Amino acid sequence: MVRRLRMGMIGGGPGAFIGPVHRFAAELDREIELVAGVFSSDAARSAAAGETYRIDPARAYPSLEAMFASEARREDGIDFVSIVTPNHNHLPSARAALAAGYPVITDKPLTATLAEAHELASLVAQAGRPFGVTYTYSGYPLVREARARIAANEIGAIRKVVVEYPQGWLAGEAVGKQAEWRVDPARAGLGGCIGDIGVHAFQLAEFVTGLRVTELLADLGAVVPGRLLDDDCSILLRFDNGARGVLLASQIEVGELNGLRIRAYGESGGIIWKQEEPNTLTINRLDGTCTLVRSGTGVLGNDAASRTRTPGGHPEGYLEAFANLYRDFAAQVRGEGADLLPGIDEGVRGMTFIDTAVSASRANSGWVKL
């Protein structure tokens, strides 16, 4: 029987949101288990997190150096590293893990700056180890179904793409650990809203359509007084097939929760997917007919069906989508391949999008090449 892969986590200490999400997702399919980590730069907090995760107290380490040295000496040492820190720690954490010989999967965006992203890409190439980026929404079964149907020309050549990611939780003062680091340039990096959720929308648009953005016109704003990073983004897009698009991302739209939505319109139809209703894909056709594709049914293609765990009517969502990415990553670590897992190239492309949009908006440059 193939044993479970052993994961070491960097970040995810007390008060973290995304650390437990990664842990739940990684362990959902019983292919992976969390066994070690440096959960905080503070040794006491790292130990406290280790208790929460119910791992061996000796494997809740005070530093990266301690973890890599100790785990290398164990017969049951970690197989790979998951990075779930704020953005400014992505590069140093990944650099250390790759130097120690471990595959890496990291939360998005790839790094805090584009220069860091290019440095990390070079390190990944030199290391020759699997590397994944958790663009969560590409793990949803019906997102993969939408991608497959567009690739099969079900709605004809794409003409228009509209992707929206509205939230409202930062419409007021940023209070609490999760909010504070996201509005701090020292920890979040170059972008605020665009780096936190805008890059998700960008990756989703390219992933679903199979197209690449070639130009953009960006208007980013820090709407809340005193805020140093953008919290509202409006971006026009042009794609490599001539299609036009709109990307809207905001964290100041009061009342919005996590309303990610993509609409792709082709010559003969349109496809709509909403993250808050993730188990339904709407396909509209030129003749006026409409098809609702439901998860957990026999109409799904291989990519979607292989990543669906329950029968129709039993909703799957965010954690399961995350788990699909970890299942893909486990396959890569085992040498089995997983073509749809976002990797270093998608990570660098996301940082290129962030850097280009922020710079163009600040300079009021109008249309610029991506």
Side-chain angles (χ1 to χ4, degrees):
M1 184 174 66
V2 177
R3 68 167 177 83
R4 284 182 286 170
L5 297 175
R6 296 181 287 265
M7 180 171 80
M9 183 182 287
I10 302 175
F17 159 69
I18 206 65
V21 167
H22 277 259
R23 187 269 183 90
F24 295 147
E27 295 189 339
L28 184 61
D29 293 317
R30 302 290 288 171
E31 290 200 36
I32 297 168
E33 60 180 330
L34 175 64
V35 299
V38 182
F39 304 109
S40 172
S41 57
D42 179 273
R45 290 174 61 81
S46 185
E51 292 181 7
T52 300
Y53 291 126
R54 290 181 169 80
I55 67 168
D56 179 349
R59 300 177 81 175
Y61 296 100
S63 67
L64 300 184
E65 296 78 10
M67 179 169 73
F68 294 139
S70 178
E71 291 296 313
R73 293 193 295 266
R74 301 179 64 108
E75 291 186 0
D76 62 348
I78 59 175
D79 295 302
F80 73 92
V81 170
S82 174
I83 300 172
V84 300
T85 67
N87 306 341
H88 70 297
N89 276 324
H90 288 188
L91 174 61
S93 298
R95 183 195 293 122
L98 292 167
Y102 293 107
V104 173
I105 186 168
T106 184
D107 206 24
K108 60 87 226 133
L110 183 64
T111 50
T113 69
L114 181 57
E116 289 183 352
H118 286 304
E119 179 182 344
L120 182 50
S122 296
L123 294 172
V124 171
Q126 293 166 19
R129 300 287 184 175
F131 190 95
V133 182
T134 53
Y135 282 114
T136 319
Y137 306 101
S138 60
Y140 277 93
L142 289 187
V143 166
R144 295 188 175 189
E145 182 71 8
R147 173 189 171 97
R149 288 177 181 249
I150 288 174
N153 203 39
E154 186 162 330
I155 62 170
I158 299 298
R159 294 171 166 173
K160 180 83 171 185
V161 181
V162 182
V163 61
E164 307 158 73
Y165 202 152
Q167 294 179 342
W169 71 297
L170 290 178
E173 182 182 356
V175 177
K177 180 178 180 179
Q178 297 307 310
E180 289 171 354
W181 78 258
R182 283 174 166 81
V183 300
D184 178 8
R187 290 177 284 176
L190 182 65
C193 174
I194 195 170
D196 193 24
I197 61 173
V199 73
H200 269 308
F202 169 77
Q203 191 269 344
L204 186 67
E206 292 199 332
F207 182 84
V208 168
T209 65
L211 304 176
R212 289 171 70 85
V213 174
T214 57
E215 296 177 273
L216 60 81
L217 189 159
D219 181 19
L220 278 56
V223 175
V224 175
R227 189 158 288 169
L228 300 178
L229 294 175
D230 63 274
D231 51 22
D232 185 71
C233 314
S234 302
I235 303 175
L236 298 180
L237 308 172
R238 290 174 180 163
F239 291 87
D240 55 1
N241 75 332
R244 288 173 168 79
V246 180
L247 187 156
L248 302 173
S250 180
Q251 292 174 314
I252 53 87
E253 296 185 4
V254 176
E256 296 288 351
L257 298 176
N258 208 62
L260 176 62
R261 178 171 78 155
I262 183 167
R263 292 176 280 156
Y265 301 101
E267 295 170 327
S268 58
I271 284 182
I272 303 171
W273 180 81
K274 304 175 184 178
Q275 197 276 153
E276 291 182 342
E277 301 174 17
N279 303 120
T280 300
L281 184 69
T282 302
I283 304 176
N284 296 308
R285 294 183 172 82
L286 198 60
D287 63 6
T289 60
C290 173
T291 300
L292 298 182
V293 179
R294 302 290 179 85
S295 62
T297 61
V299 302
L300 301 184
N302 290 335
D303 288 336
S306 67
R307 291 299 183 266
T308 303
R309 295 170 179 79
T310 60
H314 296 76
E316 296 185 24
Y318 184 70
L319 289 177
E320 291 86 352
F322 242 116
N324 285 335
L325 299 185
Y326 269 98
R327 187 193 293 185
D328 290 342
F329 186 69
Q332 287 196 0
V333 173
R334 297 187 197 278
E336 300 167 0
D339 294 340
L340 295 185
L341 176 69
I344 189 65
D345 291 341
E346 289 87 349
V348 172
R349 186 153 177 81
M351 287 307 306
T352 303
F353 164 73
I354 293 168
D355 184 271
T356 303
V358 170
S359 299
S361 180
R362 287 178 177 173
N364 198 25
S365 299
W367 285 100
V368 297
K369 298 288 185 182
L370 181 60

